[in-house]
Amino acid sequence: MRKIAISDGDIQVSTRQLPPEGPEPKPITPAAKDWMLFLGFAATVLTMPIWLQPLGAAYPDLLQKFAIFGIFAIGFNILFGLTGYLSFGHAAFLGVGSYAAVWSFKLFTMNVLPAMLLGVLVAGLFALLIGFISLRRAGIYFSILTLAFAQMSYNLAYSVLTPITNGETGLQLRGNDPRYIDRAFGVESVGLPQTNLFGIDMSGYPGFYFCAAVLIVMFLIAMRIFRSPYGLKLRAIKSNQNRMAYTGFNTRPYLLGAFVISGMYAGIAGALLAVTDPLAGAERMQWTASGEVVLMTILGGAGTLIGPFLGATIIKYFENIFSALNEAELASAFSFLPPPLQEFAVTIVNPFVGEGWHLTLGVIFMVIVIFLPGGLVEGFRRIGRLFRGRSGKRTASQAEVQPAE
Amino acid sequence: MDAILLQVLNGLDKGGAYALIALGLTLVFGTLGVVNFAHGALFMLGAFCAVALNEALTWEIVTVDPTRTTAWGTPLEVRQPYLEAQFGDFGAFLVDFSVPLAILVAIPFMLLVGVIMERGLVRFFYKRPHAEQILVTFGLAIVLQEIIKSVFGANPIPQGAPDMVAGSADIGAWFGMAGSIIYPWWRIVYFLFSVLIIGIVFAFLNFTTYGMVVRAGMQDRETVGFLGINIQRRFTIVFGIAAVVAGLAGVMYTPILPPDYHLGMDFLVLSFVVVVVGGMGSLSGAVLAGFLLGILQSFASMTEVKAILPGIDQIIIYLVAVIVLLVRPRGLMGRTGIMET
């Protein structure tokens, strides 16, 4: 069910049942649809503190995580969703971005912009290096190569690179860090300084709005990539790389481009993690973290625009809710049941919450891959098609035919 | 000289574990064409077979001795392993040999797990893309390790080797250099054990009719099917055998490394690298690469080497894999055309 959006307003008009009289209604062009989607997305993200209130998720720490991991997943989707190359090492770029950002705080200034710039830059260069080597192979070999590189970086961060990464303790800010630029401007702080954007402290809601703004910009960029000829080429690589090569395209530069872009997204996400909490640890680079971003993308729907953000939000939300639950709270939640049943329900559910959150994660992972490989977006589409009935089916099939023409 | 020999020995037991896991991975990939990310979890399950048996054998019965009291005045509770209470010395012997005995438990258990896994999950993924196979087995691996974590806890559980082979051997004496190489017996046992298992698997595939049919199915599944052979059932059994091999590798590894729930994941990543280096689909390549990388890793952790290249012991295996993939994409002994893209 891949829809390829070419600006094909004319075709859509011709296939639609036109009303017999009156002026022709102005068709909604795909570009206009995109802008509506974008505005809707921006509005949804910015109003999250309001509409997440009833779900108990409207506090800045969690909202920041939604935005940050949304960026991470959106970036991962540019590689995995468009080209089909499954990287198992993207957490390495996130970690590198974090380290770079914290170093920027330590060495230069507590302003977040240079930190993010440095994070993106370093992550991008790192992605260029790894992508250049890994993309010589496809399929599982590519997955294993990226995994190998990520594990390598993780192991090195824990052992030899301790002077840079501060090993197991994690890289932290200190009162006596040089911060040359801040010192040069005479900015002094008592105790540990706060990250700031020209004087606005990046904690709490300002921090969230900053992350949200970055997320919206990143979403826009991803959308432009999806709709551009470049994005179309990436999709072509996914559907048939050989044929793409026969038509005279050297696919590797395109792939490398996608890899580096998604690495830079991860770098931004990593830098934002450091912005909201200036501490970078190597566990961010572990391959379970890479697995998590894969899960977020798949859960939402790989290859779709809003899927990855949706998946990231859901995962982080449930992680937050589930890992906070304990046996006593479960017992009170099931208190409406008669005592033996209540005990039974608590015993059943207990391994899945608190410490056992990862078990739930694994189960979700399997269920999604088995039953809904297209992710939630695909699920919504199916439900929508169910409701629209026959006419919906027909337009859907036409949409499928169009790209082949 | 003795230092080099010691490092080779050091690499053998780890290499044995890599080889056994990689062998199973290759078997599954060669027969079913499935990339099984849950294979490391099978290794871990095997290790916990040993833990479970040990816990069952050391189960204690508590009897209250009314004639004696503790310092607090309460009746004294006498704890006694029930095996010793029931069987005396033989019971103590059983407890001592719990790890080798766990093999007997692990074989049927792992076979069952393997067959259930194949029938219940993996078979629905033959026709799906490799990415989805990786993802679903990855999810299964998480589930398995979390179940183990919730049953046995998050901490490593040390297991002892039998007293008979608990000490160290003075291997240097065999070569006329007494006292220069002291090496734990159990690691030698592990190496011999892994060679034995590898030998059995190869003999099974090469010298039995059943194995011959399996090999034929690996070559050309359709034709074997046309001959009226239910190749699918044989492949299911092969999946079970791969699970058993991984499980046994895990059982015997427990005295070397106390198992914890993420043991499987740690070994899985390395074993995949081993498979890739050996050549996807080549059984002998997997074994060779397993031992080779195990030995390489132990050489890289020599202090002399680390002094020149700091941190090399952490990354040597990945580094080798990257180089092999770039220079010789099909691996050391891989056949042409298998996943070579």
Side-chain angles (χ1 to χ4, degrees):
Chain A
M1 258 330 300
R2 249 169 263 115
K3 264 193 198 172
I4 297 184
I6 326 161
S7 51
D8 51 1
D10 297 337
I11 302 173
Q12 283 203 344
V13 176
S14 66
T15 55
R16 194 190 290 175
Q17 293 257 305
L18 289 176
E21 78 270 354
E24 187 182 308
K26 206 178 170 208
I28 307 169
T29 61
K33 258 190 200 164
D34 278 356
W35 281 112
M36 274 156 61
L37 177 67
F38 171 67
L39 290 178
F41 179 81
T44 315
V45 170
L46 288 175
T47 54
M48 269 203 306
I50 300 165
W51 62 265
L52 281 176
Q53 206 89 52
L55 293 171
Y59 50 96
D61 274 5
L62 189 60
L63 291 173
Q64 287 164 2
K65 283 224 165 58
F66 288 167
I68 292 169
F69 283 90
I71 295 172
F72 190 20
I74 288 175
F76 181 78
N77 187 42
I78 290 178
L79 180 70
F80 177 59
L82 286 182
T83 69
Y85 274 63
L86 174 59
S87 158
F88 251 98
H90 256 56
F93 306 130
L94 184 91
V96 166
S98 279
Y99 281 128
V102 176
W103 271 111
S104 159
F105 293 141
K106 283 169 88 77
L107 286 180
F108 306 126
T109 164
M110 291 307 290
N111 195 326
V112 298
L113 289 184
M116 292 191 50
L117 206 65
L118 193 69
V120 175
L121 219 63
V122 174
L125 282 176
F126 196 52
L128 185 69
L129 177 76
I130 291 184
F132 182 74
I133 300 172
S134 307
L135 283 168
R136 281 158 188 273
R137 302 279 153 256
I140 35 173
Y141 281 143
F142 174 78
S143 302
I144 292 167
L145 269 176
T146 47
L147 184 59
F149 275 117
Q151 282 297 92
M152 239 158 45
S153 341
Y154 172 70
N155 287 345
L156 286 180
Y158 260 133
S159 57
V160 193
L161 297 181
T162 309
I164 303 175
T165 63
N166 205 12
E168 285 186 35
T169 338
L171 195 61
Q172 288 162 334
L173 295 182
R174 292 237 170 70
N176 59 355
D177 284 333
R179 278 194 293 283
Y180 294 112
I181 297 178
D182 276 2
R183 295 271 151 89
F185 284 97
V187 182
E188 285 296 332
S189 55
V190 189
L192 276 186
Q194 273 282 342
T195 54
N196 63 68
L197 178 68
F198 304 113
I200 311 166
D201 269 5
M202 281 296 120
S203 59
Y205 275 110
F208 162 68
Y209 282 113
F210 180 66
C211 294
V214 177
L215 169 67
I216 291 167
V217 172
M218 288 296 130
F219 180 78
L220 182 64
I221 294 174
M223 197 165 86
R224 299 317 298 165
I225 291 175
F226 267 61
R227 301 294 185 242
S228 66
Y230 175 65
L232 210 60
K233 283 183 191 110
L234 293 180
R235 282 167 206 254
I237 290 172
K238 181 180 185 178
S239 67
N240 195 332
Q241 182 151 224
N242 282 337
R243 198 174 292 175
M244 188 76 179
Y246 293 154
T247 47
F249 284 103
N250 183 4
T251 55
R252 198 164 300 154
Y254 294 105
L255 283 170
L256 188 58
F259 194 89
V260 172
I261 290 171
S262 72
M264 286 163 97
Y265 268 74
I268 291 179
L272 281 178
L273 275 179
V275 164
T276 53
D277 180 16
L279 173 97
E283 73 282 343
R284 264 175 211 171
M285 305 167 82
Q286 212 178 3
W287 66 283
T288 40
S290 302
E292 207 179 42
V293 72
V294 179
L295 173 58
M296 287 170 182
T297 311
I298 302 232
L299 175 67
T304 60
L305 268 172
I306 52 164
F309 174 70
L310 194 67
T313 312
I314 291 174
I315 296 278
K316 283 292 155 195
Y317 176 71
F318 279 108
E319 178 179 8
N320 187 57
I321 301 278
F322 273 56
S323 48
L325 284 176
N326 57 32
E327 206 166 339
E329 283 176 51
L330 274 185
S332 69
F334 285 112
S335 58
F336 62 93
L337 292 169
L341 270 181
Q342 179 195 357
E343 229 166 79
F344 179 72
V346 170
T347 353
I348 293 289
V349 179
N350 195 35
F352 288 90
V353 299
E355 290 276 294
W357 148 247
H358 278 104
L359 182 57
T360 320
L361 197 71
V363 173
I364 299 175
F365 208 132
M366 284 176 68
V367 169
I368 288 290
V369 179
I370 294 171
F371 297 108
L372 207 63
L376 288 176
V377 171
E378 169 72 22
F380 293 147
R381 266 191 210 142
R382 275 191 213 168
I383 293 170
R385 225 173 296 149
L386 222 71
F387 277 112
R388 260 177 290 154
R390 252 188 89 231
S391 65
K393 239 179 238 163
R394 216 177 57 210
T395 47
S397 68
Q398 278 164 355
E400 246 175 314
V401 170
Q402 274 175 14
E405 281 174 313
Chain B
M1 174 61 206
D2 51 340
I4 291 174
L5 198 61
L6 185 66
Q7 294 310 324
V8 171
L9 281 175
N10 264 332
L12 284 182
D13 60 320
K14 206 162 216 181
Y18 292 158
L20 286 177
I21 303 174
L23 186 68
L25 273 175
T26 311
L27 262 180
V28 169
F29 184 76
T31 50
L32 301 168
V34 170
V35 185
N36 184 10
F37 258 55
H39 207 73
L42 294 173
F43 178 77
M44 185 256 319
L45 276 186
F48 276 91
C49 276
V51 174
L53 184 73
N54 187 273
E55 285 190 359
L57 289 179
T58 52
W59 190 58
E60 288 169 332
I61 39 174
V62 181
T63 47
V64 179
D65 190 343
T67 57
R68 289 185 293 174
T69 53
T70 58
W72 291 278
T74 51
L76 182 71
E77 287 183 347
V78 179
R79 293 174 179 275
Q80 193 179 23
Y82 79 108
L83 270 176
E84 263 182 53
Q86 292 289 326
F87 302 108
D89 279 353
F90 179 66
F93 168 81
L94 282 183
V95 174
D96 185 26
F97 273 78
S98 73
V99 169
L101 281 175
I103 291 176
L104 299 179
V105 182
I107 290 176
F109 178 71
M110 295 311 296
L111 195 64
L112 190 71
V113 168
V115 170
I116 290 176
M117 214 171 122
E118 204 277 332
R119 287 286 88 190
L121 181 71
V122 175
R123 78 176 159 127
F124 301 108
F125 280 81
Y126 294 154
K127 301 271 185 270
R128 298 255 201 118
H130 280 304
E132 285 179 17
Q133 296 171 354
I134 292 177
L135 292 170
V136 80
T137 47
F138 176 73
L140 181 66
I142 295 176
V143 169
L144 286 177
Q145 80 173 38
E146 289 302 317
I147 290 174
I148 289 295
K149 183 179 161 191
S150 70
V151 176
F152 290 94
N155 296 322
I157 306 167
Q159 298 291 309
D163 287 337
M164 213 173 83
V165 285
S168 296
D170 189 356
I171 292 183
W174 304 350
F175 300 98
M177 299 179 286
S180 61
I181 306 173
I182 309 290
Y183 198 67
W185 271 111
W186 184 259
R187 292 179 176 236
I188 301 170
V189 171
Y190 192 87
F191 168 65
L192 295 176
F193 176 78
S194 60
V195 170
L196 177 75
I197 296 285
I198 291 165
I200 292 175
V201 171
F202 272 88
F204 170 74
L205 284 175
N206 287 319
F207 303 130
T208 63
T209 323
Y210 201 99
M212 191 183 71
V213 174
V214 168
R215 275 186 299 132
M218 282 164 89
Q219 293 269 333
D220 188 344
R221 185 184 175 136
E222 278 197 344
T223 311
V224 177
F226 288 150
L227 294 174
I229 293 167
N230 187 350
I231 191 71
Q232 182 56 53
R233 183 187 296 164
R234 297 194 183 220
F235 281 178
T236 306
I237 297 294
V238 169
F239 195 100
I241 290 172
V244 170
V245 170
L248 292 186
V251 168
M252 296 292 277
Y253 211 71
T254 48
I256 300 176
L257 187 71
D260 54 11
Y261 68 99
H262 55 76
L263 174 75
M265 287 300 186
D266 303 345
F267 269 79
L268 175 85
V269 180
L270 291 172
S271 306
F272 254 109
V273 172
V274 167
V275 170
V276 168
V277 169
M280 208 84 184
S282 160
L283 292 175
S284 38
V287 173
L288 181 80
F291 283 112
L292 210 65
L293 288 181
I295 291 169
L296 259 181
Q297 198 180 22
S298 71
F299 269 109
S301 37
M302 284 167 76
T303 38
E304 291 91 337
V305 177
K306 273 200 279 192
I308 306 166
L309 296 163
I312 187 75
D313 56 322
Q314 303 283 329
I315 58 168
I316 178 79
I317 289 195
Y318 306 111
L319 213 56
V320 171
V322 167
I323 293 168
V324 166
L325 271 187
L326 293 180
V327 177
R328 196 180 154 82
R330 75 177 97 126
L332 293 178
M333 298 179 73
R335 280 172 292 163
T336 40
I338 294 186
M339 296 296 300
E340 197 184 331
T341 42

